[in-house]
Amino acid sequence: MHAAGPGSFPATRLRRNRQHHWLRAMVAETTLAPADLVWPLFVHDHAAPLPIAAMPGVERLPIEGVVRAAAEAVTLGIPAIALFPATDPALKTADGAHALDPDNLVCRTVHAIRRETGDRLGILCDVALDPYTTHGHDGLLVEGRIVNDETVAVLCRQAVVLAEAGCHMVAPSDMMDGRVGAIRAALDAAGRHDVGILAYAAKYASAFYGPFRDAVGSAASLGTADKLGLGDKKTYQMDPANALEAIREVALDVAEGADMVMVKPAGTALDIIHRVKTTFGLPTLAYQVSGEYAMIQAAAGHGWLDGARAAAESVLVIKRAGADAVLTYFAPVLARALFARG
Ligand code: PBG
């Protein structure tokens, strides 16, 4: 008798299972379904959609446009959307106070979506100050430093405002220390026990957020900060060199009460997604960010690769690495293709 384990050629021929489409489908270890996708949407306070130069196929939408997209998400079987406001520069301040206005754009958008889709679609809202600060940072800038604990106090209030507007989960993307536990306590104190926390637990200081920062208008603000030597987020977002530190970040967020954790970006952190999933076994999301989308769209636009196939493959492998769901700008395109196939 042969010992259990891998066989050897010529009795074993791994190509045998790859001969036909039905056979490959039967042995596929990972599959993609609309339920695996979260659709990030940009909202702005103008009547017409506005394209985003570095993200062909993605637009900043008026509230009604986002509501229509939300309804389509339900039809397609996409479980949730993530909302990002492009704030009118006139409403930005050094302290980002507009984040706390219950009548701000993102809150009005949440209300409008809830009227349309109720609890049939998850609405996730970012908790961070970058859409609202004149310097484009996620936190409060005091004497050239992003101050942690003072920022956390504001983020707690922002999370409660978003919860009261009706979002289902808040997603702190700011990378301050201790914010998950503080936000959990603030939500509970406000009676919002049902509102979950998706922690951007391992978020790297990445070059791949560039197109997003253009889309929400924080790039220009950070550009101003750059002149003062404050133009990057490296004092709070993680160094891409580090993996063990990502595990510590996730461990803290889990201990503080995160319901789900996120790794971001996705394609340059497949190893981290895998480690996080296998270490904690928690619902683990990954964010295929704007720059990852832009790279594929740019190459596809030049005819250098097959955009539809590249998009599907890039998201599938994020799932294979261990993600339970993927935030991706390809969500509607992928879901439509999967939907059409039945
Ligand atoms: C802001 C935030 C960013 C993204 C999501 N939330 C940008 C940043 O940290 O500067 C990036 C998403 C993307 O690039 O698609 N806190």
Side-chain angles (χ1 to χ4, degrees):
M1 252 216 19
H2 292 285
S8 58
F9 181 82
T12 297
R13 291 174 181 266
L14 292 181
R15 288 185 56 199
R16 206 175 279 133
N17 281 349
R18 297 179 199 145
Q19 294 181 84
H20 307 292
H21 175 75
W22 65 264
L23 194 44
R24 291 188 295 271
M26 206 165 80
V27 300
E29 296 173 39
T30 311
T31 53
L32 205 56
D36 302 321
L37 306 170
V38 176
W39 184 359
L41 288 163
F42 297 105
V43 61
H44 72 170
D45 217 349
H46 299 279
L50 186 66
I52 299 158
M55 301 179 75
V58 178
E59 298 178 309
R60 303 172 191 89
L61 298 170
I63 292 181
E64 312 80 71
V66 173
V67 172
R68 270 196 298 280
E72 192 192 359
V74 173
T75 307
L76 291 171
I78 293 174
I81 59 168
L83 274 184
F84 299 98
T87 309
D88 180 348
L91 296 170
K92 297 187 184 186
T93 52
D95 65 357
H98 192 57
L100 306 180
D101 183 343
D103 202 31
N104 68 20
L105 178 61
V106 75
C107 291
R108 282 183 280 128
T109 308
V110 172
H111 283 297
I113 299 169
R114 288 287 305 239
R115 271 197 295 278
E116 177 79 18
T117 57
D119 287 327
R120 290 177 298 146
L121 178 73
I123 305 172
L124 316 183
C125 286
D126 238 43
V127 176
L129 298 181
D130 57 310
Y132 305 102
T133 50
T134 38
H135 44 73
H137 279 290
D138 295 17
L140 300 172
L141 187 60
V142 177
E143 289 165 10
R145 305 176 124 234
I146 301 298
V147 290
N148 193 87
D149 301 9
E150 295 83 344
T151 297
V152 170
V154 181
L155 297 176
C156 288
R157 294 170 60 198
Q158 183 186 22
V160 171
V161 167
L162 292 167
E164 293 190 331
C167 77
H168 296 92
M169 297 193 88
V170 291
S173 72
D174 55 286
M175 290 299 281
M176 295 301 118
D177 289 321
R179 89 280 205 219
V180 170
I183 289 172
R184 182 70 271 157
L187 290 171
D188 289 352
R192 301 284 164 178
H193 307 93
D194 293 345
V195 172
I197 299 180
L198 163 61
Y200 282 72
K203 177 173 178 178
Y204 288 96
S206 170
F208 292 96
Y209 307 151
F212 174 100
R213 291 180 187 171
D214 281 330
V216 301
S218 63
S221 316
L222 278 170
T224 319
D226 202 24
K227 299 199 182 73
L228 308 167
L230 305 167
D232 65 54
K233 302 190 177 184
K234 291 180 186 169
T235 69
Y236 44 106
Q237 299 180 349
M238 282 183 51
D239 184 342
N242 298 350
L244 293 172
E245 189 190 348
I247 299 303
R248 296 180 70 196
E249 278 285 1
V250 176
L252 284 167
D253 288 359
V254 172
E256 290 176 32
D259 300 282
M260 302 184 190
V261 292
M262 178 135 71
V263 175
K264 177 187 175 186
T268 54
L270 295 174
D271 57 329
I272 307 299
I273 297 169
H274 182 73
R275 286 203 209 190
V276 167
K277 185 64 194 182
T278 50
T279 306
F280 300 96
L282 234 70
T284 304
L285 272 57
Y287 199 149
Q288 183 182 50
V289 300
S290 55
E292 300 178 72
Y293 176 85
M295 286 195 296
I296 291 175
Q297 292 296 73
H302 281 287
W304 294 341
L305 49 74
D306 177 334
R309 284 187 55 208
E313 180 179 330
S314 67
V315 176
L316 180 74
V317 302
I318 294 167
K319 239 200 114 182
R320 188 193 65 211
D324 296 287
V326 183
L327 280 86
T328 172
Y329 302 96
F330 290 118
V333 176
L334 293 174
R336 281 180 210 126
L338 292 163
F339 198 75
R341 232 189 285 154

